[in-house]
Amino acid sequence: THADMGNCSSTSNINDKSCAKVIGGYDFVNSDANPMDDHGHGTHVAGIVASTNPTYKGIAPDATIIAMKSLDSGGSGYESDIISAIDWCVNNASIFNISVISMSLGFSGYFNTTYCDTSDNPLMVSSIHNAVARNISVTVAAGNDGHVSLGVSSPACISNTTVVGWASKSDAVDSNSQLWGLPMLLA
C-alpha cells in the first residue's frame, strides 16, 4: 500500500492483480494471500529496487514486485517458509514473469571460503538450485547482522546464489563479507 510501491488500495488478495506494481504474492507466515509487510525491511529492499518516488527512485522503477512473506513481524521465521516462498516463485514464474528472487535475510552459521551446499539444509539448496536452473537469478544478502569478521551467512553461502554485500559511504566494506573469498556484489 506504500505510495512509492504502487499505492495499492488493498493487499487482502494481492493475486487479483488490482495493483500495477505489486502484482502477486503469498504470506507463508499466516498462510494467506495477504503478504503485508509488518516488519518494514522487505518494503525497504523492494523500494531500493522498484520505488517510483521522484526523489528516491529505485534502480528498476518499472519493475513489478511479487511479495513473499516468509518472516514474521520481528524478522524471524522458519527455513521451511523461505523454501516454500522460493518454490512458489519457481512454480509461478511463467504466470508472473519472475526472473529474480531477492532475499535480504540470513541464518546463523557463517562460511568464509567455501560454499555451504553440503552442510546447509538440503531442501534450501535444492530450491535455490532449482530456481537458478529455471533461469531465475537468486540474490541473497551476505548477512544483515553486521558481523564483518564472521563471514557470509546462509543461504548466501549456497552456490549459484549472487551474494550481495554493502559498503559504507566511505567505501569501507561493512557487511558480513570481509572473510568471504568467493564472488559477491558490493554496493
Side-chain angles (χ1 to χ4, degrees):
T1 59
H2 195 286
D4 299 337
M5 297 301 294
N7 205 25
C8 303
S9 61
S10 171
T11 60
S12 62
N13 183 10
I14 198 70
N15 298 302
D16 66 4
K17 300 185 181 179
S18 62
C19 183
K21 176 62 81 176
V22 184
I23 61 171
Y26 194 78
D27 178 346
F28 290 95
V29 175
N30 300 302
S31 301
D32 61 38
N34 183 10
M36 180 59 88
D37 180 6
D38 55 6
H39 182 265
H41 186 70
T43 301
H44 171 78
V45 173
I48 291 170
V49 174
S51 170
T52 57
N53 181 288
T55 304
Y56 304 107
K57 193 169 286 198
I59 59 169
D62 294 331
T64 54
I65 300 291
I66 300 296
M68 294 279 99
K69 182 172 176 57
S70 58
L71 301 177
D72 64 21
S73 62
S76 297
Y78 299 101
E79 284 184 79
S80 59
D81 287 341
I82 296 165
I83 292 166
S84 293
I86 295 167
D87 292 346
W88 189 100
C89 289
V90 170
N91 294 332
N92 290 281
S94 62
I95 296 168
F96 294 103
N97 194 27
I98 298 170
S99 59
V100 177
I101 295 171
S102 176
M103 297 187 285
S104 184
L105 49 80
F107 307 139
S108 60
Y110 300 93
F111 300 84
N112 296 325
T113 58
T114 60
Y115 292 111
C116 63
D117 293 24
T118 57
S119 59
D120 200 43
N121 180 331
L123 296 175
M124 178 74 74
V125 172
S126 177
S127 288
I128 287 174
H129 285 254
N130 187 36
V132 173
R134 299 266 193 102
N135 293 320
I136 300 172
S137 175
V138 180
T139 62
V140 187
N144 289 335
D145 54 14
H147 294 331
V148 281
S149 62
L150 296 178
V152 171
S153 66
S154 176
C157 56
I158 296 172
S159 66
N160 289 325
T161 63
T162 300
V163 182
V164 180
W166 52 276
S168 70
K169 289 181 180 180
S170 61
D171 292 331
V173 175
D174 286 339
S175 61
N176 294 43
S177 57
Q178 289 183 346
L179 298 178
W180 183 245
L182 299 168
M184 75 178 307
L185 291 174
L186 293 168

